[in-house]
Amino acid sequence: MAEIRNRIAAILSRMKYDTLEREEALALSLLSALAGESIFLLGLPGVGKSMIARRLKLAFDKATVFEYLMSRFSTPDEIFGPVSISKLKDEDCYERVTSGFLPEAEVVFLDEIWKAGPAIQNTLLTVLNEKIYLNGNSELQLPLKGIIAASNELPAKNEGLEALWDRFLLRYIVDPIKHKQNFFKLLSVPTADLPSEGFEPLSHDEFLSVQAESRKVAISEGVIEILYTIREKLNERINAKDVVTGEADPDNLKYYVSDRRWKKAVGVMKTSAYLNGRSEIGLSDLLLLSHMLWNDERSIPVVRQIIAEAVVASLFSHRLERYKSSKRHVSVEGNGTRLYTPDREHYIIQCDDSPLKIKIKDYRRMQASPDDLFYGSETTDGILMIRRQGQFVMRFVKEGVICINNYNYSLSTESVDQLSNDFIAEIGDNVHDIANRLYTEMNQNLFIANSDLYKPIQDVVAIYRTRIDLM
């Protein structure tokens, strides 16, 4: 599987050649195309949205491209082709001549998508979702590999655009160049021509193979749990009540994610895992949800935080709970030791290297008041110590030692420091090591490397590090 990763890395290198701060947008565009999905780019005019679409063409062998700038005066003829006069006249069939238009293109770029009229937008619903176009009496299976839409605004509310907006699974904001050095380079360095050698685009068969192999990628129970956690957190936001009215705010629907998008999001993550040379969805693939679950700009930081918390919690939470549980269920004896209770119900007792168990409650009752628990009057060092339990006679000899039917048993103990050391070893020596493994996977993921998704992850890791330090 390393071979496919190297191939995609080479294609991305070609697509990114001589671009500035557009690496992530190009990578996500390629991922969306190979996953059979579409991507929406939000950005002001002149930030390179159409360039991203043209670079996507490079990934596919001899790919045909269709580009169009929408306006409120655009007609279906301009997108899907003019009506065939001869077909209409001779066969009484309303059919379009699609050659050179969207139905025959492999890479499509539609700028200012929200300005298109209802007739165009309604047709795009099936184009985006099923890759199908109904032309007269014929249903055309489109050769679409990648479709990119763009606008400098999000779809207006209450104008019937929700269904079309939901079809764009990946959403990405293309900002103007931020870094000073890149801005200087933009102004002073001439645009270079793309190298013509050392590059092999994907053939149509290879494109189909990527999609087929991606469907075989496994999704673990742990990943499904994380997805469910994220979904529940988003639903909590949707159902949050206004403190004044006591009712849910309609604006909370910006956190709504349809079942269709959840299903398709898993497909994108599987494609990412496969193209990165893995047979199972990894934590870094889950971070791609940051580009798939938001509905407006205000929801982006909240969505990213929810995803980061769920991913990092999967690394630490169960370990912290197990450690805290073990601390709650052991009794502190003298000299900083704890009685060893592996199952939270029994203490381990030992005689001649033969481990036995005694219930915690029974051990504690032996040290309780003698009124109705003990029989006999034998004492050692002032401690009452005989108790009958069925056929057993147990004597509490001294701290940590029990005599059962004349055999002495010692309760196994561990030092507090040893428990802490075991815990540290269990989580991978320290928090940094666990976090670094996640960061390494992120760095190696072709579609999120060097992205701004590190920041929310680092913030949540810092919170867990503080929790562990306080334990």
Side-chain angles (χ1 to χ4, degrees):
M1 295 182 75
E3 182 180 349
I4 186 63
R5 187 184 186 282
N6 294 336
R7 184 80 179 279
I8 297 302
I11 290 173
L12 279 173
S13 178
R14 169 80 166 184
M15 290 173 60
K16 296 174 181 178
Y17 181 79
D18 202 38
T19 62
L20 300 171
E21 300 182 19
R22 297 294 175 261
E23 294 84 0
E24 189 174 20
L26 287 162
L28 292 173
S29 297
L30 178 60
L31 175 62
S32 70
L34 293 175
E37 300 298 339
S38 51
I39 184 170
F40 172 78
L41 304 177
L42 176 65
L44 296 171
V47 294
K49 300 189 293 294
S50 59
M51 178 274 294
I52 292 169
R54 295 187 191 107
R55 289 295 178 96
L56 179 59
K57 172 188 175 181
L58 300 174
F60 305 108
D61 188 32
K62 300 176 183 177
T64 55
V65 178
F66 177 79
E67 293 184 31
Y68 194 80
L69 175 63
M70 300 286 192
S71 74
R72 57 192 178 124
F73 303 109
S74 298
T75 65
D77 289 8
E78 298 168 288
I79 310 299
F80 305 107
V83 176
S84 171
I85 301 300
S86 60
K87 286 274 188 179
L88 187 61
K89 179 180 178 181
D90 300 335
E91 303 177 28
D92 196 24
C93 179
Y94 192 88
E95 190 173 297
R96 296 186 183 277
V97 180
T98 58
S99 178
F101 293 88
L102 184 150
E104 296 192 13
E106 293 173 279
V107 177
V108 173
F109 177 63
L110 300 175
D111 203 1
E112 297 303 332
I113 181 71
W114 312 123
K115 293 181 179 177
I120 295 174
Q121 292 177 352
N122 289 338
T123 305
L124 285 175
L125 292 178
T126 53
V127 168
L128 290 168
N129 208 47
E130 287 89 16
K131 305 293 190 298
I132 288 174
Y133 176 67
L134 186 62
N135 189 21
N137 297 323
S138 303
E139 187 178 83
L140 303 181
Q141 189 68 46
L142 304 184
L144 266 179
K145 290 184 171 69
I147 183 163
I148 300 176
S151 179
N152 56 17
E153 60 186 359
L154 292 173
K157 294 182 180 180
N158 303 319
E159 291 192 13
L161 298 172
E162 291 80 10
L164 184 58
W165 173 232
D166 196 66
R167 271 16 179 228
F168 292 102
L169 181 60
L170 284 94
R171 294 102 184 256
Y172 188 82
I173 297 178
V174 185
D175 292 315
I177 288 175
K178 297 178 180 179
H179 299 292
K180 182 178 180 181
Q181 184 178 0
N182 288 334
F183 182 66
F184 282 179
K185 187 176 180 180
L186 174 70
L187 300 181
S188 59
V189 179
T191 302
D193 294 331
L194 284 167
S196 57
E197 297 179 354
F199 170 73
E200 185 182 359
L202 292 171
S203 67
H204 181 65
D205 288 342
E206 288 173 323
F207 171 75
L208 296 178
S209 175
V210 165
Q211 295 196 328
E213 292 300 318
S214 295
R215 287 192 287 270
K216 299 177 184 177
V217 170
I219 176 170
S220 68
E221 211 172 286
V223 167
I224 293 175
E225 284 291 339
I226 296 172
L227 292 173
Y228 184 78
T229 298
I230 294 170
R231 182 173 178 265
E232 289 300 290
K233 292 293 184 182
L234 291 173
N235 286 341
E236 287 176 11
R237 291 275 176 172
I238 295 172
N239 298 322
K241 307 293 184 182
D242 185 272
V243 293
V244 177
T245 65
E247 297 179 356
D249 188 342
D251 189 51
N252 292 348
L253 287 175
K254 62 177 175 282
Y255 298 108
Y256 170 71
V257 180
S258 68
D259 291 344
R260 173 175 53 211
R261 278 170 64 196
W262 278 114
K263 180 73 172 178
K264 288 178 172 289
V266 170
V268 169
M269 291 187 291
K270 285 187 173 186
T271 304
S272 171
Y274 172 70
L275 296 177
N276 279 287
R278 287 181 271 104
S279 59
E280 184 174 278
I281 292 176
L283 294 182
S284 66
D285 303 313
L286 283 165
L287 299 180
L288 290 165
L289 292 170
S290 299
H291 302 300
M292 294 186 272
L293 302 186
W294 62 269
N295 287 310
D296 66 16
E297 291 183 78
R298 290 179 301 163
S299 68
I300 293 176
V302 176
V303 168
R304 289 190 172 187
Q305 183 68 17
I306 289 173
I307 294 169
E309 288 176 356
V311 169
V312 175
S314 71
L315 293 172
F316 295 110
S317 289
H318 68 286
R319 295 178 172 97
L320 293 178
E321 272 306 310
R322 189 156 64 248
Y323 181 57
K324 287 189 287 186
S325 295
S326 68
K327 291 179 70 174
R328 285 195 298 269
H329 291 281
V330 295
S331 299
V332 178
E333 304 299 329
N335 304 319
T337 60
R338 302 178 189 276
L339 299 183
Y340 187 49
T341 167
D343 59 3
R344 306 178 189 175
E345 184 179 357
H346 300 85
Y347 286 130
I348 288 181
I349 59 179
Q350 196 126 358
C351 175
D352 299 328
D353 298 323
S354 301
L356 297 174
K357 293 180 180 179
I358 183 173
K359 287 187 178 293
I360 293 172
K361 63 180 181 180
D362 288 340
Y363 175 74
R364 290 176 177 168
R365 285 170 64 191
M366 288 181 67
Q367 304 175 71
S369 167
D371 291 347
D372 53 13
L373 297 176
F374 293 89
Y375 302 90
S377 58
E378 186 179 353
T379 63
T380 299
D381 297 329
I383 301 176
L384 190 69
M385 55 179 189
I386 291 182
R387 180 179 175 216
R388 295 185 182 276
Q389 190 176 48
Q391 59 182 325
F392 296 101
V393 176
M394 298 190 293
R395 293 189 299 136
F396 185 51
V397 180
K398 60 182 179 180
E399 199 71 35
V401 178
I402 301 175
C403 180
I404 303 178
N405 290 355
N406 296 319
Y407 286 93
N408 285 346
Y409 293 87
S410 299
L411 275 73
S412 299
T413 61
E414 282 192 297
S415 69
V416 177
D417 290 340
Q418 183 60 44
L419 282 177
S420 299
N421 290 338
D422 289 346
F423 169 65
I424 293 296
E426 180 188 351
I427 65 172
D429 296 331
N430 54 53
V431 176
H432 296 288
D433 285 349
I434 290 181
N436 285 339
R437 287 198 288 272
L438 175 57
Y439 298 147
T440 298
E441 186 182 328
M442 291 173 67
N443 279 325
Q444 293 174 346
N445 191 312
L446 297 170
F447 306 105
I448 63 171
N450 303 314
S451 72
D452 58 357
L453 298 179
Y454 287 84
K455 183 62 168 61
I457 291 290
Q458 290 169 335
D459 290 345
V460 179
V461 167
I463 293 172
Y464 274 88
R465 183 171 60 245
T466 301
R467 289 180 186 174
I468 291 172
D469 290 342
L470 292 174
M471 290 178 69

